[in-house]
Amino acid sequence: MNATGAGEAPGRRFALGWWTRRRSVVLDGGLALASAAECAGQGVGFADRTGLPVGLVVVPGALAGLTLLVRRRWPLAVILVSVAVLPANMGAMLALVGLYTLATTDAPRRIIGALACMEGAGTVIVTYLLMDQDADLREQGMPVWFQPLVSILFGVACVVPPVLLGLYVRARRRLVESLRDRAHGLERELALLAERAEERAEWARGEERRRIAREMHDVVAHRVSLMVVHAAAVQAVAPKNPEKAAKNAALIGDMGRQALTELRTMLGVLRAGDGRRADAPSRLAEIAVAVRVTEDAGPSLTEVAVLVAESRAAGMTVDLAVEGEPRGYAEQVESTAYRVVQEALTNVHKHAAGAAARVRLAHRDGEVAVLVQNEAPDGGIGAPDGARLPSGGNGLVGMRERVTALGGGFVSGPTDSGGFRVSAVIPDQRRPEPADG
């Protein structure tokens, strides 16, 4: 029955033997002194009845009563001492406190029951003998059943209450410990859940950053690349063919305005709601929704022909082939397919200027296939030095992320003839319409 030092100040925890609180020392000391006084007083009466020297009975009785000091460490010893002094009609407090203390420990119940029966049987026998030797009771002519009944009642009263109280305290203590362990377990689970939530939030932030980067790259890179190519062409033909240079300059203006319009649209959606303050998670959610809205409202496959026309206007030889009938795919599918074609043509302008390219769209049942392949750039033909475009290496990565996010397949790499190929198969994300009837 070891107590915890909950009542002590942190850093000054009390410890004395098996005691962890000062009040426990005071309580046990007071109980031991009271028990010693009781045993000493009862020893005087026993010495008078038996004719033994008082000191020979009182001193051992007082020492027996002092064994309550060790009740928290050795409760079994306290009970055995109380059983030993029962013949001298001593140790009532020893028995009561010892049985209570033993019942509160983790001792097996069969041991508690055996010792309680020993204590109770001894009390019944001693009480019966004392009543049988009482002359006053014999003179009153009590019934035969009176002495056994009173002896049994004394035995039960000395054993049952402390044992039941100790078992109750033991059960309550176990319940409190189980609740405390459960609370600690819940705290650990909450800490783990918080850690996992933080990891998921970090992953979500990274994912949304990548989505925004892809969208911004697709909006700006293609048209800016064409503008650079046309600007280089203007610089090359302006002295010889002013009319063609003016036409290319007009194309540059149109492309710039289109790029600015798309960029403003993207930034306008992302900035929506900036007038009110919001915490980081809610702002991240707004950005995620904004990017998804922008993607959903993005270009469609019907605009691929416009991309091809722009590349042809920039001087690239591009062949467009469409197989099958358009099926009206989900908006994200069409937007992704468009972006794949856009980025692939942009890469041809950057890395294979002057090379012919082929764009192939295949409409199939439940998916759309995209193929953009260019020939090897002609060593003598190409864009002038002013049209050489820098590359950040994000184009192919962005295309792959877009396609795989929709559950499709993406392949890119050089061809045997020295050109480059980009191929994507994108499944349709629309749910089939339920059949009537």
Side-chain angles (χ1 to χ4, degrees):
M1 184 179 163
N2 294 331
T4 60
E8 297 298 326
R12 300 178 58 186
R13 194 167 185 174
F14 178 80
L16 178 61
W18 51 84
W19 292 289
T20 56
R21 291 186 294 183
R22 290 184 175 86
R23 62 182 181 182
S24 299
V25 179
V26 174
L27 176 61
D28 290 353
L31 289 175
L33 291 176
S35 177
E38 178 201 26
C39 290
Q42 292 171 341
V44 173
F46 180 74
D48 292 340
R49 291 192 303 271
T50 58
L52 294 174
V54 176
L56 188 62
V57 177
V58 171
V59 173
L63 293 176
L66 289 176
T67 56
L68 274 182
L69 283 173
V70 299
R71 72 180 184 94
R72 298 176 186 269
R73 188 66 176 271
W74 298 295
L76 184 60
V78 174
I79 297 174
L80 293 177
V81 170
S82 69
V83 173
V85 299
L86 262 178
N89 192 26
M90 293 189 298
M93 184 176 290
L94 276 176
L96 291 174
V97 179
L99 287 173
Y100 164 79
T101 305
L102 182 64
T104 60
T105 64
D106 295 329
R109 294 191 177 184
R110 61 179 182 274
I111 295 179
I112 298 174
L115 292 174
C117 289
M118 289 174 56
E119 186 71 36
T123 302
V124 170
I125 293 172
V126 171
T127 303
Y128 183 84
L129 292 176
L130 289 176
M131 294 178 66
D132 188 61
Q133 294 174 4
D134 193 332
D136 295 335
L137 288 177
R138 286 199 301 268
E139 291 177 358
Q140 294 178 8
M142 292 296 179
V144 178
W145 51 267
F146 180 76
Q147 292 183 7
L149 177 61
V150 174
S151 302
I152 293 172
L153 290 177
F154 265 93
V156 171
C158 291
V159 171
V160 173
V163 171
L164 292 180
L165 181 60
L167 291 177
Y168 166 75
V169 173
R170 173 182 179 177
R172 183 175 177 275
R173 185 176 299 157
R174 285 186 174 180
L175 176 61
V176 172
E177 290 177 355
S178 66
L179 293 177
R180 185 182 297 113
D181 293 340
R182 185 178 300 178
H184 291 332
L186 290 176
E187 288 180 0
R188 289 192 295 269
E189 291 180 5
L190 289 176
L192 182 60
L193 289 176
E195 182 179 352
R196 291 180 178 176
E198 181 63 26
E199 292 176 357
R200 288 195 294 269
E202 184 63 29
W203 176 85
R205 286 191 290 268
E207 184 65 20
E208 293 309 322
R209 283 194 294 268
R210 288 189 290 271
R211 291 166 65 91
I212 295 171
R214 286 197 304 268
E215 193 67 22
M216 298 296 290
H217 178 272
D218 292 338
V219 167
V220 177
H222 177 72
R223 299 195 185 280
V224 173
S225 299
L226 292 179
M227 290 168 62
V228 173
V229 172
H230 281 293
V234 169
Q235 183 180 4
V237 303
K240 303 176 182 179
N241 193 344
E243 183 178 353
K244 186 175 182 181
K247 183 179 179 181
N248 286 340
L251 286 175
I252 292 174
D254 292 339
M255 292 179 185
R257 283 187 289 271
Q258 292 175 3
L260 286 175
T261 299
E262 294 183 5
L263 187 59
R264 287 195 187 103
T265 301
M266 166 67 70
L267 295 178
V269 175
L270 291 177
R271 289 171 181 254
D274 277 353
R276 55 181 176 84
R277 294 187 179 182
D279 55 2
S282 61
R283 191 69 193 120
L284 178 62
E286 290 177 2
I287 293 175
V289 172
V291 174
R292 291 190 182 95
V293 169
T294 306
E295 288 182 350
D296 292 343
S300 63
L301 287 175
T302 58
E303 301 178 39
V304 171
V306 178
L307 280 179
V308 173
E310 291 176 351
S311 295
R312 287 172 179 168
M316 181 191 297
T317 302
V318 187
D319 178 43
L320 174 63
V322 180
E323 300 178 5
E325 292 295 330
R327 303 176 184 272
Y329 305 100
E331 294 179 348
Q332 285 189 348
V333 174
E334 295 207 11
S335 175
T336 299
Y338 175 90
R339 296 302 187 191
V340 169
V341 176
Q342 182 186 56
E343 183 59 31
L345 291 177
T346 301
N347 286 342
V348 175
H349 284 291
K350 288 182 179 180
H351 308 295
R358 180 165 61 97
V359 178
R360 176 174 172 266
L361 294 177
H363 300 283
R364 303 170 184 168
D365 188 14
E367 65 182 20
V368 59
V370 178
L371 173 66
V372 180
Q373 181 173 335
N374 64 275
E375 300 176 356
D378 195 346
I381 302 176
D385 292 342
R388 292 177 182 174
L389 301 172
S391 176
N394 297 316
L396 293 177
V397 175
M399 284 189 282
R400 183 182 302 277
E401 290 177 350
R402 282 182 178 274
V403 174
T404 55
L406 297 179
F410 180 83
V411 178
S412 64
T415 61
D416 295 336
S417 60
F420 199 84
R421 181 186 64 174
V422 172
S423 176
V425 178
I426 310 169
D428 190 7
Q429 300 294 310
R430 293 181 309 167
R431 295 182 178 178
E433 295 291 336
D436 295 335

